Amino acid sequence: MLGKREPQHYGSETLDSINSGLQALADENSVELEIMQSNAEYELVDKIQHAAGVDFIIINPAAFTHTSIAIRDALAAVAVPFIEIHLSNVHSRESFRQKSFFSDLAAGVISGLGPIGYSLALRAAIEITLTSKG
């Protein structure tokens, strides 16, 4: 629905466009990138649980940010560093959007920068990974 749903909050760029830009950035940096989108909580949990061994996760948990203990538990269990990202500034919106089940576990949180937040998250993940590997 990205690009169609509530453009005043989420912009008009599509998920395919964002993903294409991320893939180009990954290619420029010789980084393997796997992209996944699902509206099904169990699919996200399964994907995270199978992420052991990856260097980094970038996750936009969307509405699950405020509701999913299952996704939080999966992220805690795999102990893969992650960046939580939101297109809109959740802190300037409804009060229920200001509580995240993930932020305290995250290496960082990017909120309110629109689609550029994804490329910033990927750049940060690359830098953090390179630094941690020495």
Side-chain angles (χ1 to χ4, degrees):
M1 296 299 298
L2 193 57
K4 297 176 185 170
R5 179 180 161 240
E6 298 181 86
Q8 72 277 17
H9 293 297
Y10 305 112
S12 58
E13 193 166 346
T14 66
L15 186 58
D16 286 341
S17 174
I18 291 170
N19 290 344
S20 293
L22 288 175
Q23 190 60 62
L25 181 58
D27 292 346
E28 285 173 27
N29 288 277
S30 302
V31 171
E32 185 178 339
L33 178 67
E34 185 175 345
I35 297 170
M36 186 247 194
Q37 190 281 327
S38 179
N39 293 323
E41 182 181 39
Y42 77 93
E43 290 179 357
L44 298 169
V45 169
D46 284 349
K47 189 67 167 180
I48 293 165
Q49 288 176 338
H50 290 98
V54 304
D55 291 327
F56 225 94
I57 295 171
I58 297 170
I59 184 168
N60 182 337
F64 292 126
T65 303
H66 328 291
T67 63
S68 183
I69 295 168
I71 293 174
R72 177 195 170 82
D73 288 350
L75 288 164
V78 297
V80 173
F82 70 94
I83 294 174
E84 175 184 346
I85 183 166
H86 302 281
L87 291 165
S88 69
N89 180 354
V90 295
H91 301 288
S92 68
R93 297 188 60 196
E94 304 91 342
S95 61
F96 69 85
R97 293 188 194 277
Q98 297 170 15
K99 171 65 178 149
S100 168
F101 282 119
F102 310 110
S103 295
D104 64 315
L105 299 177
V109 178
I110 298 174
S111 177
L113 298 180
I116 195 172
Y118 282 93
S119 59
L120 293 171
L122 181 55
R123 288 179 191 279
I126 292 167
E127 182 67 28
I128 291 167
T129 300
L130 290 175
T131 301
S132 71
K133 289 184 177 184

